Amino acid sequence: QVQLVESGGGLVQPGESLTLSCVASGSIFRLGVMKWFRQAPGKERELVALIFSTGSTNYADTLKGRFSISRDNAKNAGYLQMNNLKPEDTAVYYCNAELLLRYGDSWHGYWGQGTQVTVSS
């Protein structure tokens, strides 16, 4: 059984910071591209950031400079550092990762359960 477990969400005030974690568990051989998405009420799910296995990153233009994505392959984990949070950042944040399972011969994408981030005064 393979799981992506997200944590770190919660209620914060504008200007504060949060770090989200996404940890993959199971018979994982390799961790490929990792992505963070978010979905705010009434909006489509949008890509926040992604990070390749090489460490190369991409960000949504509106978030570049405030958010930072990283990974720790040894821990099968990915992170999203969110700084100077704004009410507009309120959303459910989802982790997505490409995984190659041990003894497997192809890559598959997996989703975390989502973690709520609420930015409000």
Side-chain angles (χ1 to χ4, degrees):
Q1 182 175 331
V2 176
Q3 289 183 295
L4 290 179
V5 179
E6 300 166 347
S7 62
L11 174 63
V12 298
Q13 296 183 0
E16 295 183 339
S17 299
L18 280 177
T19 298
L20 306 182
S21 298
C22 175
V23 180
S25 62
S27 299
I28 300 169
F29 181 63
R30 291 183 64 183
L31 179 64
V33 175
M34 300 191 73
K35 303 175 182 178
W36 285 95
F37 293 81
R38 71 181 184 183
Q39 188 165 21
K43 295 185 177 181
E44 297 288 333
R45 186 171 298 187
E46 65 174 341
L47 177 65
V48 174
L50 64 84
I51 182 168
F52 295 99
S53 59
T54 59
S56 180
T57 60
N58 284 302
Y59 299 91
D61 289 339
T62 57
L63 302 176
K64 191 174 184 179
R66 291 197 299 120
F67 287 17
S68 179
I69 189 171
S70 61
R71 63 191 291 154
D72 186 339
N73 291 334
K75 298 179 179 179
N76 289 326
Y79 309 94
L80 183 68
Q81 174 70 43
M82 304 182 294
N83 300 314
N84 191 25
L85 284 163
K86 304 176 180 180
E88 306 87 80
D89 296 319
T90 296
V92 178
Y93 285 72
Y94 298 90
C95 176
N96 175 272
E98 293 288 318
L99 302 177
L100 180 64
L101 303 186
R102 193 168 296 276
Y103 307 115
D105 56 7
S106 62
W107 294 83
H108 293 87
Y110 296 85
W111 288 91
Q113 80 287 352
T115 184
Q116 177 72 48
V117 173
T118 302
V119 185
S120 176
S121 59

